[in-house]
Amino acid sequence: MQITREKLPAILFFIVAEFMYSFELTYLRLPNIIYNVLLGITFLLFIASVVNSQWTVEEIIKVIIILVVGILVYFSSKESLYLTLIFSAIVMNNLSYKEASKTIFITRLITTMFIIFLSIIGLLPLNKMVVSKGIFGVATGYGLGYIHPNNLAQAIFVLCCLYLCINYDSLTFKKIMGIIVVDIINYGVTKSKTSCFILFFICLLLLLKRKSFIIKLFRKLSIPYLIIIGGVSILGPMLYTYSTGKIQSIMYVLNGYLNGRFVNASNMFLSFPITLFGKIINLDYLQRMYGYNVVDNGYVFLLFDYGIVGFTLIMFLYLYSIKKLIKKDLLVFLLVIIGFLSLAMMENVIRAMFMNFTMIFWYEFINSKSNYKKDI
């Protein structure tokens, strides 16, 4: 990767932002003063990247539209996470997807291995935990410095997806099988079914990519599938909360298969209003009222945290980007996005950079050029 004056602010933006958020779900948290300084630096790097970019009129209009929504969400929710997602898509004007993926991968690999190392030598908890699997019983997993084994599993999931994106044009059988081996080890340590299964399924489809009928079917069903899982994720907890009779009985059964995720998300509907531009959710209130404050449904958390407008913009950006990636035949990127959005049904992985990196593909909405930017 050749680092030019135009690329440097965008590369530094991702390095600083990823470092800042890498410790969010671990026992090693950055002091607020350091966090705020790094947040300020990311903003300055974003400005520098925008200034160093060449824009068409169409692109400027699109950037202004999503920035206005991001700013309105920020003033309503006092949440900077939404803006950093928007910033990440905009700075992609100076980088290719491979360059951004490589930058994020290296940064995350260093911080993830550092956290695991501190756990192994005893400076952070190994966090051995008996995790409920709903109707499937219980399992013992390790967080290795992360607050929950699922968080460690998701961190490894992210690294593997980034590796796939870096090698999107040179994936071999050997590389894909290497990811599968890492996935198996990940499950053995964390016992996290969802993220490990999704990664395995992504790899399986990549191994079958020469079976053209499977890939054609996948491309055709991608957008309907994502609309369905987004709808189920929102409507499921609502029906669990407000329905009666047979529908409620069905929701109760589904809730068991989803390890209680409907009931956890339904507490949000009972406790907080849905706003246009979002509000920070008081998880302490959920703890006091229901004795549990973890909401694993990413779509519901997205709706309450960023509001109807913020939620709608994110879903639009994903669907628009997916449509363009299908046309460009960029299958790896498509599979990774769908994997993340599928995981969001069970885990809160969309709303922030500390788990999500697929917002870089929102650049497909901003980009007015028909060709895909290759590496120099």
Side-chain angles (χ1 to χ4, degrees), residues 27 91 116 153 172 282 346 353:
Y27 287 100
V91 301
I116 293 174
T172 61
N282 186 351
M346 304 291 286
M353 286 181 69

Side-chain angles (χ1 to χ4, degrees), residues 13-14 17-18 20-21 39 42 46 66-67 70 73 79-92 108 302 305-306 310 313-314 317-318 348-363 366:
F13 170 87
F14 281 117
E18 291 296 336
M20 177 176 66
Y21 289 122
L39 187 62
T42 60
F46 165 73
I66 62 176
L67 271 179
V73 169
E79 180 71 89
S80 62
L81 295 174
Y82 194 90
L83 269 177
T84 57
L85 294 176
I86 299 296
F87 289 170
S88 299
I90 295 172
V91 301
M92 286 302 299
R108 287 193 178 223
L302 202 67
D305 215 20
Y306 298 145
L313 176 62
I314 285 181
L317 290 172
Y318 270 123
N348 184 15
V349 295
I350 304 178
R351 63 182 283 270
M353 286 181 69
F354 49 78
M355 276 302 165
N356 190 11
F357 75 91
T358 59
M359 68 281 164
I360 66 175
F361 300 112
W362 297 350
Y363 178 71
I366 299 170

Side-chain angles (χ1 to χ4, degrees), residues 267 271-272 282-293:
N267 293 337
S271 305
F272 307 107
N282 186 351
L283 295 177
D284 291 336
Y285 176 82
L286 293 178
Q287 182 69 39
R288 290 195 306 269
M289 292 296 296
Y290 306 105
Y292 193 75
N293 65 358

